Amino acid sequence: MIERELYMRQIRPFMGQPVVKVITGIRRCGKSVVLQLVADELLRRGVERESIVYMNFESFEWMDLSDARTLYAHVKGVVDGRPGKPCILLDEVQEVEGWERAVNSFIVDWGADVYVTGSNSRMLSSELATYLAGRYVSIHVMPLSFGEYLLFRGVGGKDAATLRSEFRKYLRLGGFPAVHTARYDEATAYKLVYDIYSSVILRDTVQRHGIRNVELLERVVKFVFDNIGNRLNAKNIADYFKSQHRRVDPNTVYNYLEALQGAYVVQRVQRYDIKGKELLQTNEKYFVSDLSLIYAVMGCRDRFIAGALENVVYWEMRRRGYDVYIGRLESSEVDFVGIRREAKLYVQVTYRMEAAGTVEREFGPLLAIDDQHPKFVVSMDDAWQDNVDGVRHRHIAEFLTDETW
């Protein structure tokens, strides 16, 4: 079990405090491991083992605790008479109807230290805000970053050749921890990932949102997967289906996209006017939570490479705390604008820099930005290494493991 320090750093300031730590993310991304890391740290801090209540609601053991009332009654029976403040850890708590009310009572009645995980962003809905207003923090756990993948695989050497070789493997296998628990070949790895995908589609989209037309939902998923890195919205997806002689209401597509976001399958990224410093409401892009989902559903295709690299860079920027947007600068586009408090970061992503036209296309928009914030062009070139007037070029493997940006 690797120490997922990125998330523990976010959780530690709130340990022992009367706020609910809400740990969310797509199924099988490692939320349960983070919860176990929390339990281990509580023990190291001197919390008595008897004070820690842990329940995983995907286990048959807790199937009778299906609503807030029965959950509260059970926990009360466990903690009554035990010394010290209870620490309550609830895994996949969205399986309990009205869980927010029980958790609110844990804090009000006992001042409990509460941690919950769930696989749907509806956990952060208006109900949660109503019952826990001002008393919760959200931590989004993602599949393994490239840096975590290196730790998981026990890769010690971090010379350029090793990093680049390992990145090519990471790019194909993705970051779901289950894929890296053994030396699976690609076919076996994608079988594991497809099972994750099926579970997410069935339980966190179809069942949770009452979707009846599962076949249409999966067509929408495949269209989005096939267009990673391209501009998309509900209307042009509906227009595509219309061109295939299938009428689909754009509102239906929009609702499906929202459901997929809620299950952390995809993430919509808005466009940002760099000069006007405002968000734009059209031509967003969608990125998938882990590239292996695309390969498991669609197969590996060389034409995915540009969007795949953008996908990896987008999530790395998110992991590092940036709000990430697609940048517009008059008639040109910057792949990513990252904003983190007062800091900004601009990143262009491309596969190769071999042609002169590619160099101009990737460096030009960054050179036109009139500020002093860091600017990078990221690619998979092994030989091309030039920087241009302060805009730095980095191989993507080195960019992802560079802690200085």
Side-chain angles (χ1 to χ4, degrees):
M1 184 167 64
I2 67 167
E3 302 289 326
R4 302 201 70 180
E5 186 60 24
L6 170 65
Y7 307 108
M8 291 305 297
R9 282 200 304 267
Q10 297 174 50
I11 294 170
R12 283 191 190 102
F14 302 101
M15 295 183 76
Q17 302 302 316
V19 293
V20 182
K21 281 63 71 173
V22 181
I23 302 167
T24 62
I26 191 169
R27 288 183 185 271
R28 305 296 299 278
C29 69
K31 300 184 300 296
S32 297
V33 168
V34 172
L35 206 59
Q36 183 59 57
L37 292 170
V38 167
D40 292 345
E41 179 134 342
L42 289 170
L43 292 171
R44 286 196 297 271
R45 292 185 176 204
V47 175
E48 295 292 334
R49 191 175 297 274
E50 291 75 16
S51 297
I52 299 175
V53 179
Y54 174 87
M55 289 182 280
N56 183 340
F57 290 99
E58 290 196 311
S59 168
F60 193 78
E61 182 179 2
W62 309 111
M63 67 171 298
D64 292 334
L65 304 183
S66 58
D67 57 44
R69 189 179 299 277
T70 55
L71 173 60
Y72 180 84
H74 174 82
V75 175
K76 186 175 188 297
V78 172
V79 304
D80 272 357
R82 292 188 180 181
K85 179 169 63 177
C87 298
I88 302 171
L89 287 66
L90 308 176
D91 207 356
E92 298 294 353
V93 73
Q94 79 275 351
E95 303 298 333
V96 178
E97 184 177 353
W99 64 269
E100 305 95 334
R101 301 182 185 189
V103 165
N104 183 59
S105 293
F106 297 160
I107 293 177
V108 171
D109 296 353
W110 313 317
D113 188 15
V114 182
Y115 307 80
V116 303
T117 79
S119 301
N120 197 289
S121 66
R122 289 294 181 93
M123 289 184 65
L124 306 180
S125 65
S126 58
E127 282 290 297
L128 178 57
T130 298
Y131 287 103
L132 299 175
R135 290 203 296 269
Y136 77 90
V137 293
S138 174
I139 297 95
H140 180 193
V141 175
M142 307 172 201
L144 301 175
S145 68
F146 180 50
E148 288 179 314
Y149 158 87
L150 294 173
L151 290 173
F152 209 95
R153 301 283 283 196
V155 177
K158 292 193 177 182
D159 58 279
T162 298
L163 285 178
R164 295 175 187 192
S165 173
E166 290 296 329
F167 176 75
R168 288 190 289 271
K169 298 174 188 175
Y170 173 74
L171 190 66
R172 295 295 289 264
L173 292 174
F176 281 111
V179 169
H180 304 291
T181 56
R183 300 287 175 174
Y184 296 119
D185 59 29
E186 284 188 5
T188 306
Y190 296 154
K191 174 67 169 63
L192 289 171
V193 174
Y194 192 84
D195 289 345
I196 296 171
Y197 165 81
S198 298
S199 176
V200 171
I201 292 296
L202 178 64
R203 299 178 65 180
D204 296 320
T205 51
V206 172
Q207 291 180 356
R208 193 164 299 280
H209 295 271
I211 293 173
R212 296 180 180 178
N213 195 337
V214 179
E215 184 263 347
L216 177 59
L217 171 67
E218 294 208 285
R219 283 180 176 267
V220 171
V221 170
K222 290 178 180 179
F223 187 87
V224 174
F225 283 5
D226 202 32
N227 286 274
I228 289 298
N230 297 331
R231 297 177 186 177
L232 279 182
N233 57 42
K235 183 180 183 304
N236 57 35
I237 295 175
D239 287 345
Y240 166 77
F241 286 123
K242 184 178 179 181
S243 74
Q244 303 296 305
H245 308 290
R246 178 165 186 167
R247 296 188 65 83
V248 178
D249 185 347
N251 287 328
T252 299
V253 176
Y254 177 81
N255 290 336
Y256 286 0
L257 292 172
E258 288 295 295
L260 292 168
Q261 280 201 99
Y264 299 104
V265 177
V266 298
Q267 177 64 50
R268 182 175 68 246
V269 184
Q270 289 183 275
R271 295 170 71 223
Y272 174 81
D273 188 316
I274 294 171
K275 191 172 183 179
K277 298 182 179 179
E278 62 180 1
L279 292 177
L280 306 174
Q281 299 303 315
T282 59
N283 292 323
E284 306 101 335
K285 291 186 179 183
Y286 283 82
F287 291 104
V288 65
S289 60
D290 192 78
L291 286 173
S292 63
L293 290 167
I294 298 179
Y295 303 145
V297 173
M298 309 285 289
C300 292
R301 304 176 188 178
D302 289 342
R303 63 183 174 83
F304 287 156
I305 186 63
L309 296 178
E310 286 188 29
N311 204 97
V312 171
V313 170
Y314 168 76
W315 285 112
E316 185 64 27
M317 293 175 70
R318 284 285 307 275
R319 286 184 184 93
R320 300 194 188 196
Y322 286 96
D323 295 322
V324 186
Y325 307 98
I326 310 303
R328 188 189 76 174
L329 187 63
E330 297 177 344
S331 61
S332 63
E333 185 173 282
V334 175
D335 287 332
F336 297 118
V337 180
I339 300 175
R340 187 175 62 191
R341 295 180 292 278
E342 300 302 317
K344 283 186 180 179
L345 178 73
Y346 304 98
V347 183
Q348 290 280 73
V349 185
T350 190
Y351 177 42
R352 299 287 189 191
M353 300 288 295
E354 294 161 345
T358 304
V359 175
E360 171 59 31
R361 185 183 71 238
E362 303 302 334
F363 279 88
L366 297 179
L367 292 169
I369 300 172
D370 187 22
D371 67 32
Q372 301 304 309
H373 295 291
K375 303 173 181 70
F376 290 93
V377 174
V378 175
S379 78
M380 283 189 69
D381 283 285
D382 290 320
W384 208 97
Q385 298 186 24
D386 286 354
N387 299 326
V388 179
D389 294 338
V391 177
R392 288 174 279 178
H393 172 262
R394 301 294 300 277
H395 189 284
I396 189 169
E398 284 129 39
F399 179 77
L400 296 173
T401 52
D402 181 356
E403 298 295 332
T404 64
W405 58 269

